[in-house]
Amino acid sequence: MINLVIMAKCLNSICAVSQTAKGTFLQGIISAPARRALEKEKINSLEKLSEYSEKEILQMHGFGKNAMEKLKIHMMENDRYFKNSDVGIR
């Protein structure tokens, strides 16, 4: 019985490690689930991110309104905007 408990704890640790976002892109800006969603799509720079519309990003699993607002602020601070955004048009 003790062995099963130890084994379950080890499996939980392995699962927790495999669910963490690997890169540091946007670390401290948006949550890990949102970063994993971008990582899954191979979006690892603001330049690549600006090739997507807000709607496309919001459709990704792990993204919500809160993450999107934080992301938009960070992008504006770095003079980057989503595709089809009227903010970036001059």
Side-chain angles (χ1 to χ4, degrees):
M1 183 68 168
I2 292 174
N3 287 340
L4 289 175
V5 171
I6 293 170
M7 197 159 90
K9 286 183 180 182
C10 290
L11 287 175
N12 283 338
S13 297
I14 291 168
C15 289
V17 169
S18 69
Q19 293 297 317
T20 59
K22 295 177 183 92
T24 59
F25 177 59
L26 298 175
Q27 187 172 0
I29 308 295
I30 59 175
S31 66
R35 288 189 3 254
R36 283 193 300 268
L38 295 176
E39 187 177 274
K40 182 178 177 183
E41 296 296 319
K42 307 230 184 317
I43 301 171
N44 56 10
S45 69
L46 292 178
E47 291 77 20
K48 286 184 183 179
L49 188 58
S50 64
E51 296 173 6
Y52 291 80
S53 69
E54 285 183 51
K55 185 177 178 179
E56 291 171 317
I57 298 297
L58 276 171
Q59 290 176 346
M60 293 180 185
H61 180 74
F63 256 93
K65 292 178 184 178
N66 187 30
M68 179 55 72
E69 284 305 312
K70 291 177 182 179
L71 189 55
K72 283 170 55 175
I73 291 168
H74 182 71
M75 289 178 74
M76 282 191 275
E77 289 172 349
N78 290 280
D79 202 29
R80 297 283 181 214
Y81 304 93
F82 285 107
K83 179 175 75 174
N84 301 330
S85 173
D86 57 354
V87 177
I89 299 172
R90 298 171 197 220

